[in-house]
Amino acid sequence: NGITPLKPLTDEEKAKQRERFGVKDGRKVVSLVARLETVKGHDDFISAAKKLSDKNICFIAAGNGSREEELKNNEYVNFTGFIPDAYNLIGITDLSVNASFGTEATSISLLEGMSLGIPAVVTQYGGNPGVIEYGENGFLVPIHDGASLADKIYEVLSNDELYEKLSCGAKRIFAERFTAESY
């Protein structure tokens, strides 16, 4: 898959979108953009958010699906429902997550994030290992393992040197393999 890279948001646009999505106090943003279906791993995302609830991190999930009402009933993740402009959420994201365990080809939202230098923590499932190289642009974790997901999220967000390495790797790997021009 090849896509056109996202245009980075200006500082003013970022401030507006952070307010829109309820991000306060300079918190880091971890996002998951996916249909709200069991196989997309939202329960593991919520588990990771719960484990990290005492950290300065805001967890946001965008998408709609059959589990929307059920998933919104938690205090750890802000579920936005479907948003037609997911690029605005991606534009304020510090770390992307993909927790799929049942269906996953190549995640466009991961690629869009990589185009902006956003590292990711993803499950070892489907197309994820073809996009994320362990320790280069993010980390792979086992499926159904919210604790490992949380540990890697925290590892990336609490280590500025590691974050910068993964961010540079995300941009490099995107440019080498996933631009629309490379296809």
Side-chain angles (χ1 to χ4, degrees):
N1 287 328
I3 65 163
T4 302
L6 292 183
K7 178 184 170 196
L9 299 178
T10 65
D11 289 342
E12 183 178 305
E13 290 169 329
K14 282 184 181 182
K16 182 179 177 183
Q17 295 307 318
R18 286 176 68 84
E19 182 177 327
R20 171 187 175 194
F21 291 110
V23 182
K24 300 177 181 127
D25 308 328
R27 293 177 186 264
K28 300 283 187 180
V29 175
V30 175
S31 70
L32 187 158
V33 178
R35 291 177 295 111
L36 302 182
E37 303 298 336
T38 300
V39 296
K40 293 297 189 176
H42 291 90
D43 293 312
D44 299 318
F45 188 61
I46 293 169
S47 175
K50 182 177 180 181
K51 183 174 180 185
L52 297 173
S53 63
D54 63 337
K55 308 300 181 203
N56 199 27
I57 303 171
C58 181
F59 288 81
I60 303 173
N64 60 359
S66 66
R67 296 190 65 211
E68 187 166 356
E69 290 308 311
E70 171 192 358
L71 289 169
K72 283 184 174 182
N73 292 322
N74 81 90
E75 60 186 278
Y76 304 105
V77 176
N78 171 14
F79 281 86
T80 68
F82 173 77
I83 53 173
D85 58 343
Y87 59 86
N88 280 317
L89 174 58
I90 295 168
I92 63 166
T93 294
D94 295 293
L95 182 71
S96 296
V97 167
N98 182 302
S100 289
F101 62 86
T103 70
E104 193 61 51
T106 300
S107 169
I108 298 302
S109 64
L110 285 181
L111 298 181
E112 290 173 333
M114 286 172 56
S115 78
L116 297 172
I118 300 169
V121 176
V122 303
T123 52
Q124 297 170 330
Y125 184 83
N128 288 340
V131 174
I132 302 303
E133 294 182 20
Y134 193 91
E136 293 297 318
N137 62 340
F139 290 104
L140 297 146
V141 298
I143 62 171
H144 301 304
D145 192 343
S148 290
L149 185 63
D151 291 345
K152 286 301 181 188
I153 289 169
Y154 189 68
E155 180 180 345
V156 173
L157 294 180
S158 63
N159 181 330
D160 292 341
E161 188 175 308
L162 174 61
Y163 186 90
E164 185 60 30
K165 175 190 176 207
L166 298 176
S167 177
C168 289
K171 287 179 185 176
R172 177 183 51 77
I173 291 168
F174 175 81
E176 290 172 358
R177 299 194 342 229
F178 297 110
T179 63
E181 291 79 23
S182 65
Y183 284 89

